[in-house]
Amino acid sequence: MHMRTGGPAMAAPEESLRRRKAGNAGAEPGSPPGTGRDPVGCSARLRAGTFWLTRIVLLRALAFIYCIRLGLIKIRGDRCWRDLTCMDFHYETQPVPNPVAYFLHRSPWWVHRFETLSNHFLELVVPFFIFLGRQMCALHGALQILFQVVLIISGNLSFLNWLTMVPSVACFDDATLGFLFPSGPGALKDRVLKLQEETARGARPTLRYGCMVRRAVHVALGVLVAWLSVPVVINLLSPTQVMNTSFNPLRIVNTYGAFGSITKERTEVILQGTASPNASLPDAVWEDYEFKCKPGDPGRRPCLISPYHHRLDWLMWFAAFQTYEHNEWIIHLAGKLLANDATALSLLALNPFKDRAPPRWVRGEHYRYKFSRPGGQHAAAGKWWVRKKIGAYFPPLSLRDLKDYFRSREWPYPEPD
């Protein structure tokens, strides 16, 4: 049987096929019906109830904030970020070092330079991956999470690193995260699949009263934060930028700059008490209070607490490179220790006056701390730290000395237990 090709009988189907292809130009295979482009000259009409564009805005705003953090806080901050020496000091001088930091501090100089360069790459370059498509966005998320995991391993920065990882999860779509959830009828993955199918069919979610109230609250909070952010942004762009400052009584928007500056040496305030009736006697025995995590006893191993946060230990870190006049709360704490206050002592790891009468005097001594060298003389003696006294942080105080001080600040005067 002979078949003709290219004749008039095939012309109509081929032309119809060409018309169908032209009509579907721009649509991807598997696209849900009715989601193509609107007719030429008409604005695209998007359905309510989905958040794809919201996700894009969120991720790109996150990239902008990352760039601002490095460009306006770290490049304008400590010079060590520019000469790549910040990591020479960071592990030893961070708020609460952990055991891994002890060894990382002794890394070769070129490792510290690489760490600083990697920090710049991850905070200044990688955020732009968000603009380069879904796969590069996922790579951005993976790199940022990896970066935060490294920081978690190398120090006790409390919940900050864990919190920083959360926005990066938005870089991954449902298909990428599906392996984290169980399969099967009625499981979460199955319910998400049904929602995706409903979205593909064009189903619209019912707008309920609770949802409307929640949206109104979100808008109100967004407007409030935007208004409170105005002085913060002005300060950020100012040549006389001030860090760690609040501009409103609510203190919900501020200028906290994490590690914009790196301290080059570690100092610690060591609180001590004595039962001696005369604090100035040379034979007075002063005994150290120990905190739960901050360095104190040179022989105590650095702690590992992340993501938990001992707030008092962090405050002691800040107080050590200021004076007690800038941190009056530390005198308040001294008064509590003079009274053996149970609540205050619950924040400490060691009370040398446990099951004894309270100390008659409490003082603050100022020390410089350095990591001992692994394998060196001090490390062989079981010491993680080497410390040297700088001088007095605040003089010996008794409860009687503090009576007027507490009254002038309207603090309750502590009574010995």
Side-chain angles (χ1 to χ4, degrees), residues 273-287 338 353 356-362 396-398:
T274 182
S276 174
N278 189 340
S280 61
L281 289 177
D283 60 347
V285 178
W286 291 93
E287 301 176 74
L338 284 165
F353 296 90
R356 295 164 51 189
R360 296 190 179 189
W361 304 86
V362 166
L397 301 171
S398 67

Side-chain angles (χ1 to χ4, degrees), residues 95-365:
V96 188
N98 68 7
V100 178
Y102 173 82
F103 297 99
L104 290 177
H105 177 66
R106 297 298 180 182
S107 299
W109 68 268
W110 56 268
V111 173
H112 291 321
R113 303 300 179 271
F114 174 76
E115 291 168 337
T116 311
L117 280 172
S118 300
N119 180 85
H120 292 341
F121 173 73
L122 288 163
E123 293 193 351
L124 187 61
V125 177
V126 170
F128 286 100
F129 289 7
I130 290 176
F131 300 93
L132 302 179
R134 183 174 64 85
Q135 292 182 340
M136 293 300 288
C137 180
L139 177 59
H140 163 271
L143 288 174
Q144 290 295 348
I145 290 175
L146 177 63
F147 179 41
Q148 298 305 319
V149 168
V150 170
L151 293 178
I152 290 169
I153 293 173
S154 66
N156 291 304
L157 300 178
S158 77
F159 55 85
L160 297 177
N161 302 121
W162 300 80
L163 185 63
T164 304
M165 285 193 286
V166 173
S168 297
V169 176
C171 295
F172 306 104
D173 59 16
D174 293 336
T176 304
L177 299 178
F179 76 96
L180 296 174
F181 301 92
S183 302
L188 181 60
K189 190 185 298 185
D190 182 58
R191 298 200 299 270
V192 170
L193 180 60
K194 291 179 180 179
L195 290 173
Q196 290 179 336
E197 292 173 349
E198 291 177 1
T199 301
R201 291 195 301 268
R204 298 186 179 184
T206 303
L207 192 60
R208 299 179 179 177
Y209 176 76
C211 182
M212 295 174 63
V213 172
R214 186 168 63 249
R215 289 184 180 181
V217 171
H218 290 171
V219 170
L221 286 175
V223 171
L224 175 63
V225 172
W227 178 65
L228 294 176
S229 298
V230 172
V232 177
V233 174
I234 293 174
N235 173 76
L236 186 67
L237 301 175
S238 170
T240 57
Q241 181 184 116
V242 180
M243 298 310 302
N244 304 324
T245 302
S246 296
F247 296 87
N248 60 82
L250 298 176
R251 297 190 176 187
I252 60 174
V253 180
N254 54 55
T255 60
Y256 177 68
F259 302 107
S261 296
I262 300 293
T263 50
K264 306 305 186 295
E265 64 178 20
R266 181 178 201 92
T267 56
E268 292 288 346
V269 177
I270 304 300
L271 299 182
Q272 300 175 332
T274 182
S276 174
N278 189 340
S280 61
L281 289 177
D283 60 347
V285 178
W286 291 93
E287 301 176 74
D288 292 1
Y289 289 89
E290 288 289 338
F291 287 73
K292 291 187 175 180
C293 202
K294 90 172 191 71
D297 178 6
R300 190 175 68 161
R301 177 182 58 83
C303 68
L304 186 63
I305 57 168
S306 181
Y308 193 70
H309 176 54
H310 291 303
R311 187 178 180 216
L312 180 58
D313 293 52
W314 273 55
L315 289 175
M316 292 295 291
W317 177 73
F318 283 108
F321 48 82
Q322 298 171 335
T323 66
Y324 74 87
E325 289 90 351
H326 294 97
N327 300 273
E328 293 186 343
W329 59 265
I330 201 170
I331 304 300
H332 187 272
L333 175 60
K336 295 287 188 178
L337 299 182
L338 284 165
N340 261 0
D341 181 82
T343 302
L345 290 170
S346 69
L347 303 176
L348 305 183
L350 173 64
N351 171 23
F353 296 90
K354 183 179 181 181
D355 300 326
R356 295 164 51 189
R360 296 190 179 189
W361 304 86
V362 166
R363 70 181 183 183
E365 296 290 90

Side-chain angles (χ1 to χ4, degrees), residues 382-404:
K383 294 184 178 181
W384 293 79
W385 297 95
V386 178
R387 74 181 187 180
K388 181 179 180 181
K389 185 177 177 180
I390 302 173
Y393 187 80
F394 62 81
L397 301 171
S398 67
L399 269 180
R400 182 181 301 175
D401 296 331
L402 293 177
K403 194 167 187 177
D404 292 338

